[in-house]
Amino acid sequence: MKKEYDILVIGSGLGGLVSALILAKEGRKVCVLEKNNQYGGNLQTFSRDKLIFDTGVHYLGGLSKGQNLNQFFSYLEIMDDLELHPMDEDGYDRISFGDDEIEYPHAQGYHNFVEQLSRYFPEEKENLENYCEEIQYVCSQFPRYNVIGKESYNEEILHLNTKRFIESVTHNKKLQAVLLGSNFLYAGDSENVPFYVHALTVNSYIQSAYKCVKGGSQISKLLIRKLREYGAEVHKHSEVSEFVFSENNTLASVKTKTGKEYSAKQFISNIEIRSTIRLIGEERLKKSFLNRVLSWKPVSSCFSIYLVLHPNSVPNFNCNRYHYASEERVWKAFGYTKESWPETYMLSSTPSRRHPEFAESLTAISYMDFEEVKEWEDTFNTVADEHERGAAYERFKLGKTEKLLDALEKKIPNLRHAIKIIYTSSPLSYRDYIGNFEGNMYGYMKSSENPLRTMVSPRTKIDNLFLTGQSVNMHGILGVTIGAFNTCAEIIGKETIDRRLTQMINKNPSEKN
């Protein structure tokens, strides 16, 4: 039996869920199909030893009153139910290098950001003020960054290069490295990446930085609850395996692996863009578009260890710690040699519920090329579909875990004694659970030389098929949320979206910037 909908969304990552909810609020009959056991894409968490671990979302920015993500989430009616914990105002991120014991802070609030770093770089205060002004200006040039207004990209801004920009702000090599210290959030390429990627990524956190108390999956759970309130259907274990086209080259329906068929007037794909292309069929797309997308290089993947700690053994820290083997390493942080791995890592902690001054778990993440796990690429393993990858793979992970622990013990002496149990994930885990090509963290590499090459319109050559998600222009919680509003603007009109957001802001004057 075929079911009919107004909108069918393929994939339940953040972009798919936000798009589905915007349209369900407009009275559309919406259905979301997810292949996995858990909704949410990069928002997924997993539970071990009664503790929750995040796979992708370690903190959120722009969530204080009047800030952009707060406004978007308020429109989606999930803001008030989010359980958030503010991070350290004087250093939500702390950056360190080699054997230098100083951890340089990124603080919340532009004035505070400048003040905290000026303690270490007193002669650079004016340069730091200029840096804060510039990132705000670049962000303001982006469509929908300020929720309403600005329809098109400023071409000039797109071509700004991060390396050249940071070098123009300050000649101090150490400060350059500190300002780039959280570039893990865009896969550690500060030489080639456009400056707008850096600005959009860090600006929200300087405004405000929060942790999700119950992990990033609470965002997807709240979105799904709202979707159901608006009458939408959401189905997991529903992997789309086929697109069915009508004679006039429009998409008529999709079939799932289990043999169900869903038809709709319009479709939104929130899955990996290469998977979407496979389902469409290369013959239906322009060669130039195909060649462009298939030539994109995925950003690096990563290897993560999740440590369950003995009670009261490691002091909690209310920040993320980014460590680099050297200041030079920052520019191309994703590059490494197998011998010297890990040259970079991000470390975060979760406070104990009973004794919040101590950590109950730690998560450490370092870059890893897919090449390192290529010999096991034909294996597939998730909770819903379990398969062993074999003893050699387990040995590989154990070797990497030991190396990462060696690096962490330089920061937290005797850490091994505090560990109760260790869990790991590799690029294969990210590929299998989230569906990202080669397990990449944030879509595809962007270059300031040709920024438009990796930008795709939410509209496709198939009249009733639209795209959303991190491969469409910008990754991250804010980038993907803005992208979803832009996708829906293509379906119901920009004027409608702007009108709805304006009504919400006028109804809640305190939401105004």
Side-chain angles (χ1 to χ4, degrees):
M1 240 181 67
K2 244 191 333 191
K3 282 195 160 186
E4 299 239 351
Y5 301 91
D6 295 322
I7 305 281
L8 187 92
V9 180
I10 304 153
S12 73
L14 180 65
L17 292 176
V18 171
S19 300
L21 184 49
I22 294 166
L23 296 167
K25 280 175 65 111
E26 292 298 317
R28 304 291 170 102
K29 191 179 178 190
V30 176
C31 177
V32 181
L33 300 179
E34 167 56 51
K35 72 169 184 174
N36 277 331
N37 186 45
Q38 194 182 141
Y39 300 114
N42 275 316
L43 296 169
Q44 288 179 66
T45 52
F46 65 91
S47 180
R48 296 284 187 277
D49 297 81
K50 297 180 182 167
L51 304 182
I52 291 170
F53 291 94
D54 269 302
T55 56
V57 178
H58 296 282
Y59 54 154
L60 299 164
L63 275 178
S64 289
K65 275 258 183 281
Q67 293 171 0
N68 51 12
L69 195 57
N70 179 300
Q71 293 179 337
F72 288 123
F73 280 5
S74 295
Y75 179 74
L76 297 166
E77 302 172 50
I78 65 168
M79 190 62 224
D80 293 343
D81 293 317
L82 276 177
E83 282 190 56
L84 300 168
H85 179 73
M87 295 177 72
D88 188 341
E89 279 201 7
D90 293 336
Y92 61 88
D93 281 347
R94 294 182 184 270
I95 321 297
S96 58
F97 309 96
D99 298 327
D100 182 352
E101 287 187 11
I102 297 171
E103 292 191 324
Y104 298 90
H106 288 189
Q108 296 183 54
Y110 301 108
H111 176 73
N112 196 25
F113 185 90
V114 172
E115 287 304 308
Q116 295 299 330
L117 280 178
S118 295
R119 293 178 180 183
Y120 300 94
F121 304 97
E123 68 296 341
E124 296 283 337
K125 188 167 185 180
E126 195 179 328
N127 291 337
L128 284 163
E129 286 166 350
N130 291 340
Y131 168 79
C132 286
E133 272 174 37
E134 286 296 331
I135 59 172
Q136 289 173 80
Y137 171 71
V138 167
C139 289
S140 74
Q141 297 303 297
F142 266 71
R144 225 168 269 296
Y145 190 84
N146 292 327
V147 185
I148 299 157
K150 196 116 188 71
E151 292 194 28
S152 55
Y153 292 98
N154 174 334
E155 275 266 2
E156 203 180 312
I157 293 285
L158 295 182
H159 286 272
L160 275 176
N161 171 273
T162 301
K163 182 172 168 54
R164 285 195 291 274
F165 179 83
I166 294 290
E167 287 175 341
S168 76
V169 167
T170 174
H171 297 305
N172 185 309
K173 295 277 190 234
K174 173 85 83 176
L175 181 56
Q176 289 173 4
V178 169
L179 292 175
L180 294 170
S182 60
N183 69 9
F184 208 103
L185 298 168
Y186 52 87
D189 180 9
S190 291
E191 278 197 343
N192 304 305
V193 84
F195 181 65
Y196 78 82
V197 174
H198 174 88
L200 291 176
T201 303
V202 301
N203 189 52
S204 296
Y205 294 110
I206 297 176
Q207 288 180 339
S208 62
Y210 293 91
K211 282 198 177 195
C212 277
V213 173
K214 292 177 184 165
S217 63
Q218 67 164 307
I219 298 171
S220 51
K221 284 171 185 160
L222 290 171
L223 287 169
I224 286 162
R225 194 167 82 195
K226 277 289 158 202
L227 274 167
R228 290 187 169 134
E229 279 176 28
Y230 280 98
E233 289 181 28
V234 191
H235 302 290
K236 53 186 175 183
H237 303 298
S238 300
E239 183 171 355
V240 172
S241 55
E242 190 185 339
F243 279 3
V244 181
F245 289 89
S246 57
E247 278 109 56
N248 60 356
N249 203 35
T250 55
L251 192 48
S253 63
V254 303
K255 288 180 180 172
T256 65
K257 270 192 171 169
T258 54
K260 287 187 177 168
E261 192 168 354
Y262 298 81
S263 64
K265 292 173 189 151
Q266 292 172 307
F267 299 79
I268 297 174
S269 176
N270 178 219
I271 59 175
E272 161 65 52
I273 195 161
R274 288 169 186 245
S275 305
T276 307
I277 286 172
R278 260 198 310 278
L279 288 166
I280 293 170
E282 294 190 6
E283 70 286 353
R284 290 182 191 276
L285 295 163
K286 278 189 177 170
K287 272 274 179 282
S288 56
F289 173 77
L290 264 179
N291 292 339
R292 182 161 68 97
V293 172
L294 297 178
S295 72
W296 294 350
K297 285 189 165 48
V299 302
S300 181
S301 188
C302 57
F303 183 82
S304 305
I305 60 174
Y306 308 93
L307 311 177
V308 179
L309 303 173
H310 290 297
N312 309 348
S313 57
V314 174
N316 185 54
F317 44 94
N318 190 19
C319 61
N320 295 302
R321 297 159 87 172
Y322 293 93
H323 183 76
Y324 297 84
S326 66
E327 291 161 36
E328 294 71 40
R329 187 74 267 156
V330 173
W331 296 100
K332 276 201 165 164
F334 62 92
Y336 63 90
T337 63
K338 285 185 186 178
E339 297 71 42
S340 61
W341 186 92
E343 295 188 37
T344 305
Y345 61 78
M346 172 191 175
L347 180 66
S348 61
S349 74
T350 308
S352 155
R353 279 154 293 188
R354 285 188 181 169
H355 302 281
E357 67 275 22
F358 289 100
E360 64 183 11
S361 68
L362 297 177
T363 299
I365 309 171
S366 189
Y367 295 105
M368 184 173 282
D369 296 332
F370 191 77
E371 278 302 310
E372 291 216 46
V373 293
K374 206 165 175 55
E375 64 182 278
W376 303 284
E377 72 176 332
D378 294 332
T379 63
F380 182 87
N381 183 31
T382 64
V383 169
D385 189 7
E386 283 194 58
H387 299 279
E388 292 295 316
R389 299 200 208 268
Y393 177 69
E394 293 306 318
R395 279 197 302 277
F396 165 80
K397 286 202 300 182
L398 190 61
K400 293 293 181 184
T401 300
E402 289 301 319
K403 278 189 152 189
L404 192 44
L405 286 174
D406 286 343
L408 294 175
E409 284 204 317
K410 290 176 184 167
K411 187 73 67 184
I412 305 172
N414 301 317
L415 173 62
R416 279 181 171 87
H417 296 302
I419 298 169
K420 189 170 156 190
I421 195 158
I422 301 176
Y423 300 98
T424 59
S425 63
S426 79
L428 293 170
S429 320
Y430 286 87
R431 180 199 67 180
D432 292 356
Y433 278 95
I434 296 161
N436 292 352
F437 178 62
E438 295 192 343
N440 73 70
M441 286 193 282
Y442 308 119
Y444 295 89
M445 286 184 161
K446 296 171 172 64
S447 165
S448 58
E449 296 300 306
N450 192 353
L452 296 175
R453 191 167 150 269
T454 47
M455 284 190 162
V456 287
S457 164
R459 273 190 184 279
T460 71
K461 290 290 172 263
I462 315 294
D463 274 351
N464 62 339
L465 174 64
F466 301 84
L467 304 174
T468 200
Q470 69 174 7
S471 297
V472 186
N473 303 342
M474 194 60 197
H475 69 274
I477 298 283
L478 178 64
V480 169
T481 300
I482 289 175
F485 275 86
N486 289 339
T487 296
C488 293
E490 296 287 343
I491 295 171
I492 56 176
K494 182 182 179 298
E495 300 71 24
T496 304
I497 294 275
D498 283 355
R499 196 164 60 248
R500 297 286 184 262
L501 289 165
T502 305
Q503 285 164 350
M504 177 206 67
I505 291 168
N506 290 341
K507 210 165 67 184
N508 306 309
S510 63
E511 294 297 322
K512 284 186 181 171
N513 275 320

